[in-house]
Amino acid sequence: MSELVTIKSSHSGIELRLNANLPFPDLLKAVEEKFRQSADFFKNAKMAVSFSGRTLSISEEEQLIQVITQTTNLEIICIIDHDERKELIYKRAVTQCLSEREKSDGQFYRGTLKRRQLLESESSIVILGDVEFGAKVVAKGNIIILGTLYGSVHAGAAGDRNAFIIALSMQPQRLVIGDIEAKRQLIYQDSLSINGPQIAVVDGKRIYLDPLIE
């Protein structure tokens, strides 16, 4: 079983390395056995999980998560891609949301927000997908987008200028933090000069865009 499924600790949770050739029903059984043996180790832990070794469909990912949670008391807070380029932003996103969850007010949303969709949060939110043009996100806390921001976002919606907005790429239709709205042209120009993940923060009476990874 150990050659079919390997559990490895990562910065943002656990990485599950899966045999590429095993039929999926047999793989499910192997995962169940592996986690049954490790149940005492995980106890009531909350963490993210990533899969490597084979390509999985969304349905297969869901079945694997169901087996893991039924076999242990481990709470999977999100599934992340195995991508070294995103490792730091995932780590920061998970750390931030875990902190919020301890206060019972953190939120994850998995999927791309389409045109005319509105997503609201009473706290911070991590979006595992893009925010398309015409979509809108409003949160009283921080907004972390593990994808591209094309739509409108408002972080610190209760007036908190200390909130921030993170995205792998920013080309926002509208961007607001607290009661400060960014000038779209300035944000667009800043975004063009930054490679990789970007963070928007308030400094004085203006919103600035900086690289997340120096």
Side-chain angles (χ1 to χ4, degrees), residues 104-116:
S104 300
D105 60 1
Q107 185 179 356
F108 275 88
Y109 178 89
R110 189 178 185 210
T112 292
L113 282 175
K114 305 291 186 180
R115 185 179 181 87
R116 295 198 179 112

Side-chain angles (χ1 to χ4, degrees), residues 3 10 33 44 51-52 91 107 126 184 187 206 208:
E3 296 180 355
S10 72
E33 178 61 26
N44 296 315
F51 299 109
S52 65
K91 179 182 177 182
Q107 185 179 356
V126 177
R184 187 177 177 188
I187 289 294
R206 184 190 155 186
Y208 290 86

Side-chain angles (χ1 to χ4, degrees), residues 1-7 29-43 67-68 71-72:
M1 288 296 180
S2 60
E3 296 180 355
L4 304 179
V5 179
T6 304
I7 302 173
K29 293 178 182 178
V31 170
E32 180 179 7
E33 178 61 26
K34 188 71 174 181
F35 276 89
R36 193 179 303 282
Q37 295 171 0
S38 309
D40 290 340
F41 173 77
F42 291 109
K43 295 183 180 178
V67 163
I68 293 169
T71 306
T72 69

Side-chain angles (χ1 to χ4, degrees), residues 38-197:
S38 309
D40 290 340
F41 173 77
F42 291 109
K43 295 183 180 178
N44 296 315
K46 300 182 181 72
M47 59 182 65
V49 63
S50 63
F51 299 109
S52 65
R54 65 189 287 160
T55 301
L56 299 169
S57 67
I58 293 177
S59 174
E60 288 173 337
E61 287 183 350
E62 290 174 347
Q63 290 180 66
L64 286 168
I65 293 300
Q66 184 176 14
V67 163
I68 293 169
T69 55
Q70 287 178 346
T71 306
T72 69
N73 290 323
L74 176 64
E75 181 180 348
I76 304 297
I77 56 174
C78 71
I79 303 171
I80 60 178
D81 293 328
H82 186 66
D83 186 336
E84 291 183 2
R85 185 180 67 85
K86 300 177 184 177
E87 180 66 26
L88 180 56
I89 191 171
Y90 281 135
K91 179 182 177 182
R92 293 189 184 190
V94 171
T95 300
Q96 168 67 23
C97 237
L98 274 174
S99 176
E100 295 292 340
R101 285 177 65 92
E102 292 303 318
K103 296 180 288 186
S104 300
D105 60 1
Q107 185 179 356
F108 275 88
Y109 178 89
R110 189 178 185 210
T112 292
L113 282 175
K114 305 291 186 180
R115 185 179 181 87
R116 295 198 179 112
Q117 279 189 285
L118 170 64
L119 180 61
E120 296 180 288
S121 174
E122 291 294 312
S123 61
S124 296
I125 186 165
V126 177
I127 298 169
L128 306 175
D130 297 333
V131 177
E132 293 186 351
F133 187 89
K136 185 176 182 181
V137 182
V138 179
K140 290 184 179 179
N142 308 312
I143 298 174
I144 300 169
I145 301 166
L146 301 185
T148 299
L149 168 59
Y150 297 105
S152 300
V153 290
H154 186 176
D160 182 8
R161 292 187 182 183
N162 292 317
F164 59 80
I165 298 166
I166 289 174
L168 297 184
S169 178
M170 286 202 200
Q171 302 170 41
Q173 182 180 358
R174 184 169 182 257
L175 192 151
V176 183
I177 298 176
D179 59 345
I180 305 293
E181 181 170 354
K183 293 183 182 294
R184 187 177 177 188
Q185 186 60 33
L186 291 177
I187 289 294
Y188 178 72
Q189 291 173 352
D190 288 347
S191 180
L192 290 178
S193 66
I194 299 173
N195 292 320

